[in-house]
Amino acid sequence: MTLDDIDWLGHAGFRIRTSAGWIYIDPYRAPEGPTAAGILVTHDHYDHFSRDDVLRLAGKGTVFIAPATVTEQLRGNTHSVTPGDIAAVGGVEVLAVAAYNTNKLDSEGRPFHSRDAGWVGYVIRDGGRRIYHSGDTDVIPEMDEAAGVDVALLPVSGTYVMTSSEAAEAARRIDPGVAVPMHWGTTVGTREDAEAFVRDAPVDARILESAG
């Protein structure tokens, strides 16, 4: 599986070349780049919804897809989604998939990313190719909606998201063509986390160098 059309922008940010143009996911401290055909945001935490980055990368026709807590802060062609919703960027289908914590809890015992918040990851379908960005999540049953994708982008840093070993279990469950570790190297997580994931994942797994 080729990763030539996917750029890691650091942390959980990606830029993907599609038939509709460039689609960005969770750009944060992102480099300059081509204008976005679509920008997908998984949730409203600052390291995933950076309004400055979103507005800098957007153009007149950019499609914004995100939970309502994000789209209410934007103007233009916005589409609010909850888990299970389908939206589109041109001819590219975007399925919102649930993303939440089951065992990553704050000091008061509450999940950092609760199921009730309605935050998401995305499965992008472009022709015969499918790419899954899990958002901030633990291993959850809803990941089955991404089973057999060509590329799975999975967080590995622990604390707020899956640890590298949990991400390896997610990769086993999803069985993608190739898995890429994310959510490391910027605010939390280290290259060692990414390397541990690549070592433990029972699928083809590769570390991308940041384009940021």
Side-chain angles (χ1 to χ4, degrees), residues 17 36 40 44 69 83 99 131 137 139 141 151 154 167 191-192 202 210:
R17 189 197 306 269
L40 282 50
D44 61 11
T69 52
I131 300 167
T137 191
V139 181
V151 181
L154 302 173
R191 188 175 186 91
E192 286 71 26
S210 176

Side-chain angles (χ1 to χ4, degrees), residues 96-179:
V97 179
Y100 56 89
N101 288 135
T102 58
N103 60 14
K104 309 301 185 302
L105 309 177
D106 65 19
S107 60
E108 297 183 2
R110 298 173 300 193
F112 290 108
H113 305 88
S114 72
R115 186 174 187 175
D116 291 343
W119 292 334
V120 298
Y122 295 102
V123 174
I124 300 169
R125 184 189 296 272
D126 185 17
R129 180 176 65 158
R130 291 195 304 150
I131 300 167
Y132 174 49
H133 184 295
S134 73
D136 278 6
T137 191
D138 285 317
V139 181
I140 55 175
E142 290 87 346
M143 283 182 170
D144 292 348
E145 297 179 63
V149 294
D150 297 288
V151 181
L153 311 172
L154 302 173
V156 300
S157 59
T159 307
Y160 308 108
V161 296
M162 295 182 287
T163 63
S164 60
S165 60
E166 289 169 334
E169 168 58 20
R172 183 201 65 77
R173 182 171 191 143
I174 297 164
D175 193 26
V178 62

Side-chain angles (χ1 to χ4, degrees), residues 31-54:
E32 294 295 333
T35 299
I39 298 178
L40 282 50
V41 178
T42 60
H43 63 294
D44 61 11
H45 287 170
Y46 76 93
D47 54 336
H48 296 264
F49 175 43
S50 168
R51 191 170 183 273
D52 289 344
D53 284 280
V54 167

